Amino acid sequence: MKSICVYCGSNFNGDPQLQKAIEALASTMVAQHINLVYGGGSVGVMGVIANEILRLGGTVTGVIPQFLMDKEVGHTGLTEMLVTENMHQRKQKMADLADGFIILPGGFGTLEELFEVLTWLQLGLHAKPIGVLNINGFYDHLFLQMDVMVEHRFLKQTNRDLVFNEVEADVLVNKMKNFTAAPDDVWFRDRNLT
């Protein structure tokens, strides 16, 4: 695993537990020579993770649409910055560059990115691991909702299990490194809900 795409918020609430978890993730990634791919922002959780990886001597690739660069929210000190025309190109480029995906706390955009790559995995469009760094129970209710989807037979348990849910960065990264899947038949194999 050479690159991990981290999806996270463009806001940061100052939570010291979140700060500590971000530092642990950055330390784990740098120690294992894993490049950060992220949304290219200088603000919020995005800025915190990018700055921490850079501080530790790691490499960071940002991917940002031109309109956000024009608003001066792009990070100017990255190893590499790629500017796209729009959000769709940004998301595709980030996914293409990554060997796996980690989700940190965030808002609507973070959830959208999580469910997009998770759906792509379910449909067999990629075979890359997806993990949630579930800091202080931030995503507990989201995983409970996934369980409701399984209970009501809108989601198979095998597909629900495609996303890792961990509280420790090193445990999450190591699980992702050992991930093997044959997602090209996950959706078709499990589409019968009876």
Side-chain angles (χ1 to χ4, degrees):
M1 186 169 292
K2 296 179 181 178
S3 289
I4 290 178
C5 177
V6 173
Y7 296 129
C8 55
S10 57
N11 293 307
F12 178 56
N13 61 6
D15 179 4
Q17 286 184 291
L18 176 54
Q19 177 73 39
K20 186 175 179 181
I22 292 169
E23 290 170 0
L25 177 59
S27 178
T28 297
M29 290 177 64
V30 172
Q32 297 189 31
H33 306 287
I34 298 172
N35 178 60
L36 169 67
V37 175
Y38 86 118
S42 60
V43 296
V45 177
M46 287 198 296
V48 175
I49 183 71
N51 288 335
E52 186 62 17
I53 293 225
L54 292 168
R55 186 185 73 78
L56 295 173
T59 59
V60 179
T61 301
V63 184
I64 193 167
Q66 185 64 57
F67 80 92
L68 287 178
M69 280 299 286
D70 294 343
K71 291 184 178 187
E72 299 182 348
V73 297
H75 200 299
T76 57
L78 304 180
T79 311
E80 179 181 29
M81 177 68 91
L82 304 174
V83 180
T84 63
E85 291 181 20
N86 55 54
M87 292 290 283
H88 294 292
Q89 290 176 355
R90 175 202 213 180
K91 291 189 299 177
Q92 186 65 59
K93 178 57 91 174
M94 290 168 70
D96 290 344
L97 292 171
D99 299 315
F101 307 91
I102 288 179
I103 291 77
L104 294 175
F108 286 155
T110 304
L111 289 179
E112 187 239 355
E113 290 164 331
L114 162 62
F115 281 108
E116 183 169 61
V117 294
L118 187 52
T119 301
W120 291 353
L121 177 58
Q122 175 184 288
L123 294 173
L125 301 177
H126 71 79
K128 301 173 182 181
I130 301 168
V132 170
L133 191 55
N134 194 2
I135 300 148
N136 201 25
F138 185 85
Y139 284 113
D140 284 355
H141 289 93
L142 182 65
F143 282 101
L144 287 173
Q145 180 59 46
M146 292 182 195
D147 292 336
V148 169
M149 293 172 180
V150 172
E151 179 184 342
H152 288 265
R153 298 187 310 133
F154 286 99
L155 180 66
K156 287 292 268 182
Q157 187 67 48
T158 50
N159 292 326
R160 158 67 177 81
D161 294 339
L162 289 174
V163 58
F164 294 111
N165 178 11
E166 293 295 335
V167 297
E168 299 291 337
D170 57 342
V171 173
L172 179 59
V173 170
N174 286 331
K175 280 190 174 184
M176 291 173 65
K177 287 176 75 173
N178 293 319
F179 175 79
T180 55
D184 52 342
D185 69 345
V186 170
W187 167 253
F188 300 104
R189 182 185 67 229
D190 294 324
R191 67 182 176 178
N192 180 3
L193 298 176
T194 60

